[in-house]
């Protein structure tokens, strides 16, 4: 599945280019900002002259140090591809460690790691690096659980720091981890009280206090630019109607991505019932469900009854919440609406289905428990060798359920790795602040990536928040170069306009050679594949 990406690192991206190109730019900008303007980190070069423009999407700040290595579009794509592969490694290893700490043997723990890292739900998220980057969740839980069990303050503090790192990758998953830790802390506090409030080691207490303070500080610092964007741009607010558009129903749990080798063709009917399939396909895998049921019901499994019950309840709650809310019908009274209305941070979340990340983690752990119980049953009847073969077979089936093995780009349901287009010759010749034309979404994604060479201030941008001032400017310059558009651009503060003449077919600038600039105070040059207009 990943071979087609590995063989062309730095030239291709997984699935499609809609989100990977802006996210490759985000990480590259993070490295640039750390080196050049650490105190103005969120003042990126897109959507000039807007403020906090990096906060228009989850900023992937946790990956910023990698952006300090290399420069330019090729380095940005290479870095993105490596980080994309890293997400699977971290998700597997962290879940394996957590499962081992909770009592599973090596093979069942490995199955749990596979079930989380290769959950069928993640197939449709292959173009969302911030959603794939979920390994910090099981890693933080592992460090916190192990640290408290072994009275190791260093591990406890490390757990809090990993939580802060996960939050820095984006609020889509970071917020879920914060609320999960809050719920677990409440459960632990109740159990501690019921056990007579036993005295805790001083080092553990201070590690928790220090870690919580670091996390709270990070949360406040990270939230401020996002709050500033919401205050400045009304279009940045997520209304209940926005949430409803990305909310699913029961069919979501039997639908998976069309790229799925096993389940893609089988679940096509369920996919067609979804309004927004790419965000509403929440199928967790058939074998994982069966093994998880075994992990809950087998009384002599590796998990204690309280842990099994807690995981089952958590899976149920997250499963309901992931279906989101609506503005009408029964779903207007859904539990998720309570979160949207009352829980801080959830009013900014657009896609409730990403709560499925927690659902798949819980199912993976229970599936590991079920596999261990099943392996013990086989071993007693057939011996260790047969049990080992059976366990390996289960792990391979779980991996196969979440895999996209078809790599033929001509197939409609293939796992694609589109090639990233190179920057045109002369792209960097336009003096900032610059507006690139055409300014449609596909072009803006390319401009962001190409800008990683020297990060010029530019009017163009691509994010989940689309500023209305940018939309209005694009509308007003359709006749460029003419008197009205030139006047509008000067009022906006634009110094140069750069036209990528390789992509003018079918656009208002298809006949750019026949558009005179005389009398407009505009000079035109043609460096490389660009046409650069300087607004004197």
């Amino acid at each position: 599945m990943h071979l087609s990406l590995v063989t062309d690192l730095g030239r291709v991206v997984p699935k499609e280019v809609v989100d990977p190109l802006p996210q490759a730019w985000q990480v590259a900008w993070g490295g640039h900002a750390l080196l050049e303007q650490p105190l103005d980190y969120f003042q990126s070069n897109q959507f000039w002259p807007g403020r906090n423009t990096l906060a228009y999407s989850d900023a992937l700040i946790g990956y910023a140090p990698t952006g300090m290595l290399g420069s330019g579009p090729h380095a940005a794509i290479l870095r993105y591809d490596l980080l994309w592969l890293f997400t699977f490694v971290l998700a597997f290893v962290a879940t394996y460690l957590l499962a081992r700490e909770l009592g599973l043997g090596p093979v069942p723990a490995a199955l749990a790691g596979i079930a989380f890292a290769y959950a069928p739900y993640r197939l449709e998220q292959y173009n969302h690096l911030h959603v794939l980057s979920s390994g910090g969740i099981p890693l933080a839980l592992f460090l916190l659980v192990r640290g408290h069990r072994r009275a190791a303050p260093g591990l406890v503090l490390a757990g809090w720091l990993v939580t802060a790192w996960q939050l820095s990758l984006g609020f889509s998953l970071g917020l879920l981890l914060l609320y999960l830790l809050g719920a677990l802390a409440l459960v632990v506090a109740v159990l501690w009280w019921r056990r007579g409030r036993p005295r805790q080691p001083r080092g553990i207490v201070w590690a928790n206090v220090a870690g919580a303070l670091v996390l709270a500080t990070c949360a406040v610092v990270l939230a401020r630019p996002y709050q500033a964007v919401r205050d400045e741009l009304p279009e940045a607010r997520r209304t209940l109607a926005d949430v409803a558009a990305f909310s699913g129903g029961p069919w979501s749990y039997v639908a998976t991505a069309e790229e799925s080798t096993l389940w893609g063709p089988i679940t096509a009917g369920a996919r067609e019932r979804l309004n927004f399939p790419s965000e509403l396909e929440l199928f967790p895998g058939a074998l994982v469900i069966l093994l998880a049921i075994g992990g809950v019901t087998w009384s002599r499994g590796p998990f204690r009854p309280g842990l099994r019950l807690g995981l089952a309840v958590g899976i149920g709650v997250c499963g309901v919440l992931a279906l989101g809310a609506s503005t009408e019908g029964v779903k207007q009274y859904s539990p998720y609406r309570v979160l949207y209305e009352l829980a801080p941070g959830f009013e900014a979340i657009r896609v409730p289905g990403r709560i499925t990340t927690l659902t798949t983690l819980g199912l993976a752990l229970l599936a590991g428990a079920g596999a261990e119980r099943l392996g013990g049953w086989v071993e007693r009847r057939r011996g260790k060798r047969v049990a080992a073969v059976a366990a390996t077979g289960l792990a391979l089936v779980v991996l196969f359920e979440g895999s996209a093995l078809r790599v033929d780009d001509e197939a409609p349901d293939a796992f694609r790795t589109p090639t990233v287009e190179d920057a045109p010759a002369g792209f960097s010749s336009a003096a900032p602040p610059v507006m690139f034309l055409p300014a449609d979404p596909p072009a803006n994604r390319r401009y962001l990536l190409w800008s990683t060479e020297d990060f010029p201030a530019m009017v163009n941008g691509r994010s989940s928040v689309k500023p209305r001032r940018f939309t209005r400017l694009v509308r007003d310059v359709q006749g460029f170069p003419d008197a009205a558009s030139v006047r509008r651009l000067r009022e906006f503060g634009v110094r140069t306009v750069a036209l990528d003449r390789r992509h003018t077919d079918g656009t208002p600038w298809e006949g750019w050679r026949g558009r005179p600039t005389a009398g407009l105070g505009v000079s035109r040059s043609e460096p490389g594949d660009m046409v650069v207009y300087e607004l004197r």
Side-chain angles (χ1 to χ4, degrees), residues 2 19 32 92 182-183 198 219 236 291 294 320 374 383 386 417 430 437 446 521:
H2 303 336
D19 287 290
H32 169 80
F92 169 78
L291 289 174
V320 172
L374 180 61
V386 175
T417 52
L437 296 176
R446 295 192 296 268

Side-chain angles (χ1 to χ4, degrees), residues 36-300:
E36 302 293 336
Q37 53 180 75
L39 299 182
D40 285 320
Y41 187 92
F42 282 88
Q43 315 310 321
S44 73
N45 67 309
Q46 73 165 344
F47 290 125
W48 183 90
R51 296 286 298 169
N52 297 302
T53 54
L54 191 66
Y56 288 4
S57 300
D58 280 344
L60 295 171
I61 298 172
Y63 291 143
T66 67
M68 300 166 67
L69 305 174
S71 64
H74 176 74
I77 295 301
L78 175 61
R79 187 184 305 116
Y80 178 92
D81 290 344
L82 292 175
L83 288 173
W84 190 86
L85 294 170
F86 166 75
T87 64
F88 292 90
V89 175
L90 180 61
F92 169 78
V93 172
T95 306
Y96 172 85
L97 293 174
L98 177 60
R100 290 285 287 148
E101 184 63 28
L102 294 178
L104 296 186
V107 175
L111 184 145
I114 292 172
F116 181 62
Y118 289 94
Y121 160 72
R122 288 164 62 93
L123 278 171
E124 197 59 78
Q125 303 300 323
Y126 273 11
N127 57 332
H128 295 148
L129 184 63
H130 61 302
V131 180
L132 292 178
S133 300
S134 57
I137 297 176
L139 181 58
L141 294 175
F142 160 72
L143 291 169
L144 290 170
V145 171
R146 190 178 184 89
H148 282 92
R149 282 182 170 179
R150 302 197 174 192
L155 292 178
V156 172
L157 181 59
W160 288 105
L161 295 179
V162 170
T163 301
W165 175 76
Q166 179 70 58
L167 182 66
S168 74
L169 293 175
F171 285 96
S172 293
L173 299 185
L175 191 67
L176 300 182
L177 180 55
L178 291 183
Y179 277 93
L180 173 62
L181 290 181
L184 293 176
L186 181 61
V187 171
V188 170
V190 171
L191 294 176
W192 172 75
W193 185 274
R194 292 184 60 182
R195 291 170 181 170
R197 294 175 292 174
R199 187 179 182 87
Q200 299 298 307
R202 186 184 299 270
I204 293 296
V205 173
W206 283 111
N208 280 306
V209 171
L213 286 175
V214 170
L215 177 60
T217 301
C218 289
V220 171
V221 170
L222 292 172
R224 288 184 65 185
Y226 288 91
Q227 185 62 50
V229 169
R230 290 185 64 234
D231 293 341
E232 178 187 359
L233 304 178
E235 57 269 34
R237 298 179 180 273
R238 309 297 191 192
T239 66
L240 188 58
D242 294 329
V243 174
F246 290 90
S247 295
W251 286 108
S252 293
Y253 285 108
V254 291
T256 191
E258 63 179 354
E259 296 95 337
S260 172
T261 304
L262 177 62
W263 296 110
I266 298 175
T267 64
R271 247 189 339 269
E272 294 173 356
R273 294 172 177 264
L274 304 177
N275 294 328
F276 207 98
S278 63
E279 294 290 3
L280 299 179
E281 296 163 357
L282 311 181
F283 180 60
L287 182 57
V288 170
I289 292 176
L290 293 175
L291 289 174
I293 292 174
V296 171
T297 56
W298 278 327
S299 58
R300 291 189 294 175

Side-chain angles (χ1 to χ4, degrees), residues 310-327:
L311 287 172
V313 171
I315 291 168
V317 170
C318 290
V320 172
L321 292 175
L323 295 178
S326 181
T327 56

